[in-house]
Amino acid sequence: WSHPIKSTFVTFPGDIIKNKTDSELAESYLKKFGYLNTEQRSGFQSMVSTGKALKRMQRQMGLEETGELDKATLEAMKQPRCGVPDVAN
Amino acid sequence: YQTFDGDLKWDHNDITYRIVNYSPDMESSLIDDAFARAFNVWSQVTPLTFTRLFDGTADIMISFGKADHGDPYPFDGKDGLLAHAYPPGEGVQGDAHFDDDEFWTLGKGPVVKTRYGNANGALCHFPFTFEGRSYTTCTTEGRTDNLPWCGTTADYDKDKEYGFCPSELLYTFGGNADGAECVFPFTFLGEEYDSCTTEGRSDGYRWCATTSNFDKDKKFGFCPTRDTAVIGGNSEGEPCHFPFVFLGKKYSSCTSEGRGDGKLWCGTTDNYDDDKKWGFCPDKGYSLFLVAAHEFGHALGLDHSNIRDALMYPMYSYVEKFPLHKDDIEGIQYLYGPKTGPDPTPPQPRTTTTPFPDDKSEATKPTTTTTTSPVDPTKDACKLGSFDTITVIEGELHFFKDGHYWKISSRNGESVMGPFSISERWPALPAVIDSAFEDLQTKKMYFFSGARFWVYTGKNVLGPRSIEKLGLPNTIQKVEGALQRGKGKVLLFSGENFWRLDVKAQKIDAGYPRYTDVVFGGVPNDAHDVFQYKGHMYFCRERFYWRMNSRRQVDRVGYVKYDLLKC
């Protein structure tokens, strides 16, 4: 009776929220809120690294600055929030 | 705290806002109130004032929308992004948008304001007991007309207090049908509809026709969300259907099965596998007040804070206490400075020799009672922020305030005359007059103050009498405005309601009270002066007026001081 339940995920019609992997979620979060962006300065484009972006996000959220996509960071990314980017672009 | 690059801020302190549309989740008056309280959070600690406009462009335009809602930042369905706002400036700058795929509440579950019934529009009390059974949602039990209702106290069986819950069978909002209820079935593009639909719209809002044929009559309104309805999915507005079958298994309550995000959902037909109809189950929802207070922070120039307890922290969390943190206060005061000057205080009652009203003393008598303050000629009507009442007497606009009155006469080039002493002209009256009107047929003057009224015929006075004698309920604390409606009929306003007085019979007509916002859409619900002047109806709130034409369209919003007093 203690067999683990094997969940089947389905795609719900009309659902805007798509099932994403953790790294997909993190990447879209970091981009959406301005942590991971392409900065344009004097014609030079540089991509901020994901680790640096994660650290910046962790600092903003008052989390431990590990630069890793740890459980606490992932949980924070799933919380309901304001849509205004944390880092201005 | 953070401000936006360049410390973007408003270059004026009298900020205007406009609520462009409403969410179906809460009654419009609750939404109005949540936004007003959210602005108040900021006006309490800065010199900023916030005035609501009902048309035109305001500094802060507030709207609800779903997914792609007309700007480059689409919302994302239920949860996730709740709202966003733009920093101060022209155009979309300063505007605040709220995701209507969220369930908007006051943070602690459905807030259901009732209509009709006998509870004066009170909120539902959940749970409530009816015939020994406990109800946590509105119910149609005990009725044959399918209208959902609820108890407004814990025990309907004992208190018998109830009201009707939001339902498309009772009313609609927005649209062009003045809040009329849906008519089912109705025809739209040749098809017949038995329930509210999102067909024909790209914004996902549910609507219905308010006549049997939309194609012919073009009358419609949006459907309010029932408290039992699912949120989002593809069946918004429908209740859960229990039990329902999902992947061959029967469910008798909401489940998170099938989802990776743990959200509770239900089928809205008996078999999800066949019908694929579903929605999220109602939960505590998000506090519109808290989210709005945060968004208005952006609209005033604050960016996100990294202090977890600050209102401007980007994540939502529910708090019951005053939401501003020291960090928020420092941030907003960095932009606009601290609040200056004392809080406004209500006028103190003046000494009067008028005895407390006694209905037994109703008789026409010359009066000897007076207010005793002398007229101060330096009192300038143009320096007053608002008036106790404004009314037309003998064709001249009169402004009453705290024992004095001023008048504007077209015979006098529309300049202000006064101050005059109320006690000299109408000796029986108290200093503060809440409302007044002149009966056009008899030329009698009616004055209201608190729960009392007086009738002047020339120099003779009748009263004070209790307003209950007119048939007004004893719960009314004051009559705030009066509008002449045809011969011998006057509308009396108080709170969110109005009543029609038959002046000759001295009785309120049957069928009243009615909701002010249902009949007079677009004017403030909390107007403190309502009067008729030169064919227009005026609703005043603080120093502003909303002018409504005979077709009940607000055709002007302006300043009492500049437009009426000609200061």
Side-chain angles (χ1 to χ4, degrees):
Chain A
W1 58 277
S2 59
H3 278 286
I5 296 166
K6 193 169 184 326
S7 288
T8 310
F9 296 140
V10 301
T11 303
F12 286 83
D15 197 356
I16 297 175
I17 306 157
K18 300 282 180 283
N19 288 323
K20 283 180 179 167
T21 64
D22 290 350
S23 60
E24 282 171 339
L25 171 76
E27 193 180 334
S28 85
Y29 188 98
L30 294 173
K31 274 185 184 165
K32 190 182 283 179
F33 297 111
Y35 296 104
L36 191 63
N37 66 338
T38 305
E39 291 174 347
Q40 196 159 14
R41 288 202 184 105
S42 310
F44 172 72
Q45 290 196 336
S46 71
M47 182 68 89
V48 178
S49 77
T50 307
K52 208 170 160 186
L54 274 171
K55 271 193 175 176
R56 204 168 175 184
M57 180 257 175
Q58 287 160 341
R59 189 181 315 143
Q60 168 71 30
M61 299 302 171
L63 303 169
E64 193 186 347
E65 292 178 43
T66 62
E68 303 285 326
L69 186 58
D70 49 38
K71 197 179 166 198
T73 307
L74 205 52
E75 279 307 306
M77 288 177 171
K78 290 177 180 171
Q79 294 301 308
R81 59 160 289 160
C82 169
V84 173
D86 299 325
V87 182
N89 56 34
Chain B
Y1 64 87
Q2 296 283 330
T3 56
F4 293 105
D5 275 355
D7 287 348
L8 292 174
K9 58 177 275 194
W10 296 104
D11 59 7
H12 52 285
N13 284 352
D14 49 341
I15 313 291
T16 56
Y17 71 95
R18 181 177 153 202
I19 302 168
V20 177
N21 61 3
Y22 286 93
S23 167
D25 296 345
M26 276 202 291
E27 229 258 349
S28 59
S29 61
L30 295 172
I31 292 175
D32 291 344
D33 182 62
F35 287 142
R37 286 188 293 119
F39 280 118
N40 191 44
V41 163
W42 297 108
S43 62
Q44 277 186 290
V45 295
T46 61
L48 298 173
T49 61
F50 298 94
T51 302
R52 185 174 168 195
L53 301 186
F54 290 82
D55 56 10
T57 305
D59 295 324
I60 299 173
M61 302 287 273
I62 302 166
S63 59
F64 291 90
K66 299 178 183 190
D68 286 308
H69 57 281
D71 70 7
Y73 307 101
F75 289 129
D76 57 355
K78 192 174 178 329
D79 304 321
L81 303 181
L82 306 182
H84 56 221
Y86 294 83
E90 293 291 311
V92 73
Q93 300 294 111
D95 293 357
H97 300 164
F98 296 83
D99 183 359
D100 223 349
D101 275 322
E102 309 306 341
F103 182 35
W104 292 111
T105 64
L106 297 179
K108 297 201 287 189
V111 185
V112 186
K113 191 172 191 298
T114 62
R115 292 195 177 197
Y116 308 108
N118 60 3
N120 249 338
L123 299 180
C124 290
H125 188 293
F126 296 129
F128 69 93
T129 310
F130 169 55
E131 293 185 346
R133 198 177 144 194
S134 181
Y135 290 82
T136 54
T137 61
C138 298
T139 180
T140 55
E141 286 296 315
R143 297 195 64 85
T144 54
D145 54 11
N146 219 21
L147 284 176
W149 68 278
C150 68
T152 57
T153 65
D155 192 343
Y156 172 82
D157 298 333
K158 181 168 130 273
D159 304 320
K160 300 281 185 241
E161 286 195 10
Y162 78 103
F164 291 97
C165 301
S167 157
E168 67 280 6
L169 302 177
L170 202 61
Y171 68 93
T172 56
F173 70 97
N176 61 1
D178 282 339
E181 69 275 19
C182 296
V183 170
F184 296 124
F186 66 89
T187 305
F188 169 56
L189 296 180
E191 297 278 319
E192 209 162 75
Y193 290 82
D194 290 316
S195 60
C196 298
T197 179
T198 57
E199 284 298 315
R201 299 193 64 85
S202 58
D203 57 12
Y205 281 95
R206 298 166 60 244
W207 69 279
C208 69
T210 56
T211 67
S212 60
N213 193 330
F214 177 83
D215 299 337
K216 186 167 127 281
D217 304 316
K218 305 279 188 235
K219 287 286 190 189
F220 79 105
F222 295 102
C223 302
T225 302
R226 292 188 181 209
D227 65 320
T228 50
V230 296
I231 315 293
N234 60 1
S235 312
E236 187 143 319
E238 299 292 322
C240 290
H241 188 292
F242 295 125
F244 67 94
V245 174
F246 172 57
L247 298 181
K249 194 178 157 195
K250 241 182 200 180
Y251 290 84
S252 295
S253 61
C254 297
T255 178
S256 60
E257 279 301 302
R259 298 193 64 85
D261 55 14
K263 290 179 190 163
L264 291 171
W265 68 279
C266 67
T268 55
T269 65
D270 61 349
N271 194 319
Y272 174 84
D273 299 338
D274 292 344
D275 305 318
K276 298 280 187 289
K277 300 297 273 180
W278 70 285
F280 294 109
C281 297
D283 50 23
K284 283 189 172 178
Y286 295 110
S287 163
L288 184 61
F289 161 68
L290 287 177
V291 176
H294 174 101
E295 297 309 327
F296 297 161
H298 288 313
L300 296 175
L302 288 181
D303 204 344
H304 283 146
S305 166
N306 57 8
I307 293 183
R308 194 177 285 265
D309 291 336
L311 177 66
M312 294 314 294
Y313 189 71
M315 312 290 204
Y316 172 88
S317 62
Y318 179 74
V319 287
E320 252 180 333
K321 60 185 191 314
F322 177 72
L324 280 194
H325 185 274
K326 187 168 162 275
D327 180 67
D328 302 309
I329 296 172
E330 283 173 4
I332 202 71
Q333 292 187 344
Y334 165 76
L335 292 173
Y336 297 99
K339 190 177 180 69
T340 51
D343 280 332
T345 48
Q348 297 299 308
R350 284 158 180 265
T351 310
T352 171
T353 55
T354 307
F356 197 77
D358 177 1
D359 279 332
K360 288 173 191 162
S361 67
E362 288 169 22
T364 304
K365 61 189 176 192
T367 175
T368 55
T369 54
T370 65
T371 51
T372 54
S373 52
V375 169
D376 177 358
T378 61
K379 267 190 179 284
D380 184 354
C382 289
K383 288 183 181 160
L384 295 174
S386 62
F387 293 90
D388 296 336
T389 192
I390 305 173
T391 191
V392 175
I393 301 172
E394 294 169 350
E396 296 174 330
L397 199 53
H398 283 59
F399 301 78
F400 290 78
K401 178 78 174 179
D402 207 11
H404 298 101
Y405 70 94
W406 295 257
K407 61 182 181 179
I408 297 241
S409 168
S410 49
R411 291 185 292 254
N412 199 36
E414 296 213 321
S415 62
V416 188
M417 296 162 67
F420 303 104
S421 168
I422 293 175
S423 61
E424 280 178 19
R425 184 161 173 193
W426 299 286
L429 300 184
V432 176
I433 306 297
D434 298 323
S435 189
F437 70 88
E438 181 182 35
D439 178 21
L440 299 176
Q441 288 189 309
T442 62
K443 300 293 175 196
K444 286 180 179 177
M445 279 301 310
Y446 287 72
F447 295 95
F448 294 84
S449 179
R452 302 175 292 168
F453 75 102
W454 293 254
V455 183
Y456 262 93
T457 312
K459 287 196 178 295
N460 289 329
V461 64
L462 184 72
R465 297 180 71 194
S466 164
I467 57 173
E468 277 185 70
K469 291 277 177 188
L470 298 174
L472 290 168
N474 60 8
T475 49
I476 286 186
Q477 293 181 346
K478 59 183 178 181
V479 175
E480 287 160 310
L483 279 181
Q484 298 277 359
R485 304 311 281 161
K487 287 182 181 173
K489 301 281 187 185
V490 174
L491 304 185
L492 300 177
F493 293 79
S494 182
E496 296 176 352
N497 299 304
F498 71 91
W499 291 256
R500 192 172 69 191
L501 174 69
D502 184 319
V503 183
K504 194 175 174 190
Q506 296 262 305
K507 279 286 166 207
I508 295 296
D509 285 337
Y512 291 85
R514 297 182 67 185
Y515 284 106
T516 304
D517 63 352
V518 170
V519 179
F520 301 94
V523 301
N525 237 352
D526 54 350
H528 49 70
D529 303 326
V530 186
F531 58 95
Q532 187 110 9
Y533 181 51
K534 291 186 174 174
H536 284 91
M537 295 167 271
Y538 287 78
F539 295 77
C540 301
R541 183 171 170 270
E542 293 168 3
R543 58 192 193 279
F544 301 97
Y545 69 83
W546 283 253
R547 191 177 80 176
M548 193 172 248
N549 62 24
S550 55
R551 284 172 292 167
R552 291 191 199 141
Q553 296 161 327
V554 174
D555 62 4
R556 190 177 169 86
V557 180
Y559 288 90
V560 170
K561 188 157 92 172
Y562 303 118
D563 300 346
L564 298 177
L565 274 168
K566 313 285 183 196
C567 293

